[in-house]
Amino acid sequence: MEKLNTLLEDDVDQAVQGNQQALTRIVNSVSQDVFQMAMRFLWHPQDAEDATQEILIKIITNLSRFRGESRFQTWVYRIASNTLMTVKAKKAELQALSFDAFSEDLARDLSVSPEAIDPLPFDARLQDEVRIGCTLAMLLCLDRKHRLAYILGEIMELEHEEASDVLSISKVAYRKQLSRARSAIQNLMTSRCGLVEPRNPCRCNHRVSCAVERGHVDPENLIFASAGEQTATFPEVLETIRALDASRRAAALYQSHPDLFAGVNFSAWLRKLVSTTEQMVAANNLRFDDV
């Protein structure tokens, strides 16, 4: 990790001086981490792509402002966090439930008997879709500052000093935010989620029919489910999660999510961004401090 940061910081110096290849390496190195962070914060891939675009543009146009007072990735996370805190709320966030309402919703899904759907060849992937979508939706129950604290501290596992630096708050304030967020997520999962607490009745396969019937899951257009390999290995991963101390299971469940990648359109946009920026650098027209 430290070696990567050193390489990135060297690339920043070169990019600011007009090195096109260095700029390309920077964008390619940070784009996936930024997208993953935005996905956890905003839930929906399209919203995460929109936010990631805004974040990457800010990173590129502010490169000359990086002074090396923190790790480059810390600086990137700070820009990402500031952007996510101020981005306009989209549909998923506007429809987010309180923790009590979310808990009641989970119980209600298990008490109703929707019309059974025909088994599909990728039924295991439908369960993955429910599992990942449901746990990410739990994060939306947190307000933005506590959601960011949880993502940085519990899922990304940043040290408290770095996370507080990212959020531009004191370590004491960060620890309080993280503690409150951790308690809220753990309480919900411990009381309802059958993944974290095997004695709970909630099971992802029991919720698939309800999710499809209500339109929360589209079997023809899965958002979160990964390739078959991850689906096949999850039972083994779940055994490892359940063997952990109860206080660590929720975070481990989030960390078990497969890496989600932006769509084809975003990839095309990213290539165009890099190409356009390189052309501007080559023409000496790019001002890195132009916000």
Side-chain angles (χ1 to χ4, degrees):
M1 181 64 73
E2 288 308 316
K3 182 178 180 181
L4 173 61
N5 271 283
T6 300
L7 292 173
L8 285 174
E9 289 169 14
D10 289 342
D11 280 339
V12 170
D13 292 336
Q14 294 179 46
V16 170
Q17 295 170 20
N19 186 303
Q20 302 170 33
Q21 290 74 28
L23 180 63
T24 299
R25 288 194 295 270
I26 291 169
V27 174
N28 289 337
S29 294
V30 305
S31 58
Q32 177 58 18
D33 280 349
V34 169
F35 177 72
Q36 287 286 103
M37 187 174 172
M39 269 295 305
R40 289 158 174 161
F41 189 83
L42 297 170
W43 189 86
H44 197 282
Q46 184 58 62
D47 296 337
E49 288 180 13
D50 292 344
T52 300
Q53 289 180 353
E54 183 176 349
I55 292 164
L56 291 177
I57 290 172
K58 288 182 178 180
I59 290 170
I60 289 174
T61 56
N62 284 279
L63 274 180
S64 65
R65 296 184 179 182
F66 175 67
R67 304 302 184 198
E69 296 170 353
S70 64
R71 297 190 314 146
F72 180 69
Q73 283 189 309
T74 304
W75 184 78
V76 167
Y77 294 150
R78 187 182 303 121
I79 292 177
S81 296
N82 290 339
T83 303
L84 292 171
M85 282 293 290
T86 58
V87 71
K88 183 178 179 180
K90 301 297 177 65
K91 184 178 179 180
E93 196 170 17
L94 291 172
Q95 293 181 342
L97 301 173
S98 67
F99 281 100
D100 288 342
F102 200 105
S103 180
E104 292 172 5
D105 192 62
L106 291 178
R108 184 166 56 251
D109 277 359
L110 296 175
S111 65
V112 297
S113 299
E115 211 171 286
I117 59 172
D118 293 331
L120 298 173
F122 49 87
D123 186 65
R125 293 188 66 210
L126 284 178
Q127 294 179 45
D128 273 2
E129 186 79 356
V130 169
R131 169 175 59 86
I132 299 169
C134 180
T135 48
L136 285 178
M138 290 180 188
L139 292 178
L140 293 180
C141 296
L142 295 165
D143 64 33
R144 286 186 167 190
K145 69 177 184 179
H146 287 92
R147 196 185 317 154
L148 266 179
Y150 189 86
I151 291 170
L152 293 172
E154 287 292 274
I155 304 178
M156 296 172 62
E157 295 187 305
L158 298 189
E159 296 292 339
H160 287 191
E161 184 171 357
E162 182 175 15
S164 62
D165 188 12
V166 168
L167 298 177
S168 300
I169 59 178
S170 69
K171 285 190 287 185
V172 172
Y174 171 71
R175 290 191 187 101
K176 288 180 179 178
Q177 288 183 12
L178 178 60
S179 178
R180 287 192 291 264
R182 185 192 291 129
S183 295
I185 292 293
Q186 286 179 358
N187 288 342
L188 177 58
M189 286 197 177
T190 302
S191 63
R192 291 296 183 190
C193 181
L195 296 171
V196 168
E197 177 47 68
R199 291 173 294 183
N200 289 330
C202 188
R203 294 290 184 276
C204 299
N205 60 318
H206 294 166
R207 301 191 68 234
V208 167
S209 294
C210 279
V212 172
E213 184 178 82
R214 293 179 179 180
H216 297 325
V217 169
D218 179 359
E220 302 301 324
N221 184 30
L222 300 182
I223 297 175
F224 306 111
S226 64
E229 304 84 56
Q230 207 276 343
T231 299
T233 59
F234 181 71
E236 183 178 340
V237 172
L238 183 58
E239 282 189 31
T240 302
I241 291 173
R242 286 175 172 169
L244 297 173
D245 183 82
S247 65
R248 297 301 309 156
R249 292 176 193 169
L253 183 58
Y254 284 110
Q255 291 165 357
S256 75
H257 288 178
D259 285 341
L260 299 172
F261 295 90
V264 175
N265 290 339
F266 178 85
S267 298
W269 175 88
L270 186 59
R271 289 193 297 272
K272 183 178 179 180
L273 172 69
V274 171
S275 175
T276 301
T277 307
E278 286 179 346
Q279 292 171 19
M280 295 172 70
V281 170
N284 294 317
N285 289 329
L286 179 65
R287 289 177 56 218
F288 284 103
D289 58 353
D290 182 17
V291 180

